[in-house]
Amino acid sequence: MTSVRHLMDPAYAARRATEADDHWGGIDTAKVAMLCIADPFWPDDCTPEHVRAAAIESLQADGAHYSSPIGERALRVEIAKRVARVNGLEVDPDRNVTVAGGSVPLFVHAMRPFLEPGAQNEILTPTPSWVTNFEIGPLAGGVTVPVPTYPEDGYDLRIDEFARRLTPRTKLVLIANPNNPTATLYSRRALEQLAAFARENDLIVVTDQAFEDTVFDGCEMTEIAALPGMAERTILISSLSKGMALCGYRIGYVVASEEITDVLHSSAAHILGAPSTAAQAAAVAALREPQFVEAYRAEYRKRADAICAMLDTVPDLGYTKPQSGYYLWLDVSAFGNAREVTEYLLREASVLLNEGDTWGSSDHLRLVYSTFADRNRCLSAIERMVDAFARHPKAAVKGKSR
C-alpha cells in the first residue's frame, strides 16, 4: 500500500481522490470518504450566491488589477467591524489590520520581526495543535518548543508547563483557540494566567482563531487580546476559510497594535504580495451578509451530536467532546497506533482520517465531519467507520473503558 503518511497530505489526498480511475493497493479512491480535509462540505459546492456574484462582478470589472498589498480598504473596514462584533475589539482598519491570501503566510510574516536571525529564539506552542503551528517557528527563523496539554484537563492550558519551558530565548507564545485538532476552547482562567505570564515575561502572544466562527452555542470563547494589557502584545490571526467555508477564496487577516502593524505594512508588498482582487470582493460581500454562518454552525453541531452518539457505541474508543469546529480528536490507543488504525480504516471502511503524530499524539486520529454537503452522506461514512471498529481484532468483547 502507498505510504499513508504520504496520503495524509490533504492536498495530495484530495487531488488523487478525485481521479476515479486511480487505485491505491486495490482501493478505489473515488469511493474513499476524505474525513481528513478541513475544507467545509468538500468536495461539494457551498459558496453563497451573493458571495459568488461579488467575485464574478469583480472579474467582469477590474478584477485583473493589483489590489493594495495590505488588502483593499473596503475589506479592512468590514474586517474591523467583524472584529468589533466577534472579538469585542475596537480596531482601526488603517492602523491595525493586514489582509493576505489566506492566514498561513501571515504567521511567518507576523512572527518574523520578533525573531533575531541566528539567536534561536523560542516559540512556546501547546500540543496537540495544528500541524503547521509546529513548522511555522523554524520557517520564521525560530525554534518551536511544544508545551503539553492533557486530556484530563480537556486539553486546557497549564501555565506551569509554560513556566518550565521559559528561557531567556523565549520570545513568542503561539496558540490555536479554538484548538485544532481537539475542538476545545481554552478557559478564561487559563487565558488570564497566560496573559499574566506574557506580561511578566515581556512575550508576544500569537493567537490562531481560524475556527472562531464555529463555537457551539453554550460554549464561551475568551478573547485574550481583550484581557488587560494584552491588546498591545497580542497578534490575532484569522480567516474566512473555516467558519465561512470559503477556503478556496484564500482570505486571511491579522489584527495587531499600531506599532506591530506598521512593521507588517511596511514589508507586505515584498513578502505577502497583494490578495486576489476578486476574492476580496467576495469577502466583503460575505462579511456584509454573514447570516449563512449561523446555518453552517448549526449543521456542524447536529453532525457532532449524531457522531458522538455513534462513537459512544464503540467500546474503548475515546474522544474529546467538541466545543467548536467540525472535527473530533479520537483516542485509538486501544486499537493500535495512529498509522495502523488509519490504514485499517482506509482498507476496511474506505474512510481516510488524519494521523495524529504530527498533531501531537501517535495514538490519536483527527476526524473531520464537515465532509460533503449532504449530512447523511457524511454520517454514512461514519457508520462504516464505526462498523469497522466493531470488527477490529482488538475490539472489546463487552464493556467499555473510557
Side-chain angles (χ1 to χ4, degrees):
M1 179 181 291
T2 302
S3 168
V4 170
R5 196 169 292 277
H6 186 52
L7 303 184
M8 293 314 295
D9 174 67
Y12 178 86
R15 183 170 67 252
R16 294 294 292 263
T18 58
E19 299 173 4
D21 59 346
D22 188 73
H23 292 71
W24 296 312
I27 297 175
D28 184 350
T29 60
K31 298 180 180 178
V32 173
M34 308 299 288
L35 307 181
C36 59
I37 304 175
D39 182 344
F41 311 115
W42 185 92
D44 302 323
D45 176 44
C46 62
T47 304
E49 191 52 43
H50 70 288
V51 176
R52 191 195 319 275
I56 292 172
E57 182 179 355
S58 174
L59 290 171
Q60 292 174 335
D62 61 353
H65 297 298
Y66 280 130
S67 75
S68 166
I70 62 172
E72 294 286 5
R73 190 173 193 279
L75 177 54
R76 287 184 279 114
V77 167
E78 294 304 324
I79 289 173
K81 293 178 182 177
R82 167 189 162 79
V83 170
R85 182 178 69 253
V86 174
N87 308 103
L89 302 172
E90 295 296 328
V91 299
D92 185 325
D94 300 315
R95 307 300 301 151
N96 303 117
V97 180
T98 310
V99 182
S103 63
V104 174
L106 286 170
F107 285 92
V108 174
H109 185 53
M111 292 165 61
R112 189 66 189 85
F114 300 95
L115 304 174
E116 181 182 350
Q120 295 293 292
N121 297 141
E122 295 171 348
I123 303 118
L124 302 179
T125 303
T127 181
S129 190
W130 180 40
V131 174
T132 306
N133 282 352
F134 301 116
E135 304 297 330
I136 287 169
L139 289 172
V143 177
T144 299
V145 179
V147 179
T149 59
Y150 301 92
E152 57 265 33
D153 300 333
Y155 294 104
D156 205 359
L157 306 176
R158 290 186 184 181
I159 200 62
D160 59 327
E161 297 286 6
F162 285 85
R164 287 193 189 99
R165 290 159 178 81
L166 180 71
T167 76
R169 295 185 299 276
T170 306
K171 300 296 180 184
L172 299 163
V173 175
L174 171 59
I175 64 173
N177 189 35
N179 182 265
N180 176 17
T182 65
T184 56
L185 300 166
Y186 296 134
S187 68
R188 174 173 290 275
R189 177 176 176 274
L191 289 176
E192 288 175 341
Q193 291 178 337
L194 181 63
F197 176 76
R199 293 192 300 268
E200 291 165 5
N201 296 286
D202 194 22
L203 304 177
I204 296 294
V205 176
V206 181
T207 175
D208 165 17
Q209 299 185 185
F211 288 92
E212 63 187 2
D213 279 326
T214 67
V215 175
F216 295 158
D217 289 344
C219 299
E220 179 191 15
M221 177 172 168
T222 299
E223 179 56 64
I224 191 169
L227 297 179
M230 291 305 294
E232 61 268 28
R233 63 175 64 252
T234 300
I235 298 174
L236 188 163
I237 299 178
S238 193
S239 81
L240 275 60
S241 294
K242 305 304 185 180
M244 288 192 159
L246 296 173
C247 292
Y249 286 76
R250 309 309 305 133
I251 295 295
Y253 61 89
V254 58
V255 174
S257 68
E258 288 189 19
E259 184 177 8
I260 294 173
T261 300
D262 281 346
V263 176
L264 302 185
H265 281 188
S266 67
S267 56
H270 309 294
I271 298 174
L272 300 176
S276 162
T277 304
Q280 289 186 82
V284 169
L287 290 167
R288 286 177 177 170
E289 296 182 61
Q291 297 85 350
F292 62 96
V293 174
E294 292 297 329
Y296 291 168
R297 181 163 45 231
E299 175 62 20
Y300 302 148
R301 183 61 180 267
K302 290 176 182 177
R303 295 189 186 198
D305 290 344
I307 292 169
C308 288
M310 295 164 67
L311 296 178
D312 284 339
T313 68
V314 182
D316 293 323
L317 177 63
Y319 66 88
T320 303
K321 188 173 180 60
Q323 296 175 297
S324 62
Y326 36 75
Y327 42 84
L328 285 160
W329 190 232
L330 303 181
D331 179 353
V332 297
S333 56
F335 300 90
N337 63 44
R339 176 176 292 190
E340 292 170 343
V341 178
T342 300
E343 291 181 345
Y344 173 79
L345 294 176
L346 180 61
R347 183 176 64 251
E348 298 295 326
S350 292
V351 299
L352 186 57
L353 279 64
N354 296 109
E355 288 182 31
D357 300 63
T358 52
W359 303 75
S361 175
S362 61
D363 55 13
H364 281 72
L365 302 180
R366 188 186 74 153
L367 161 65
V368 177
Y369 55 81
S370 62
T371 307
F372 307 124
D374 182 347
R375 185 192 315 159
N376 290 331
R377 190 178 178 192
C378 175
L379 295 181
S380 177
I382 305 296
E383 287 176 356
R384 296 200 306 271
M385 186 191 75
V386 168
D387 180 65
F389 272 119
R391 292 183 282 105
H392 194 281
K394 294 184 180 180
V397 176
K398 63 180 179 178
K400 183 177 184 180
S401 62
R402 295 296 295 261

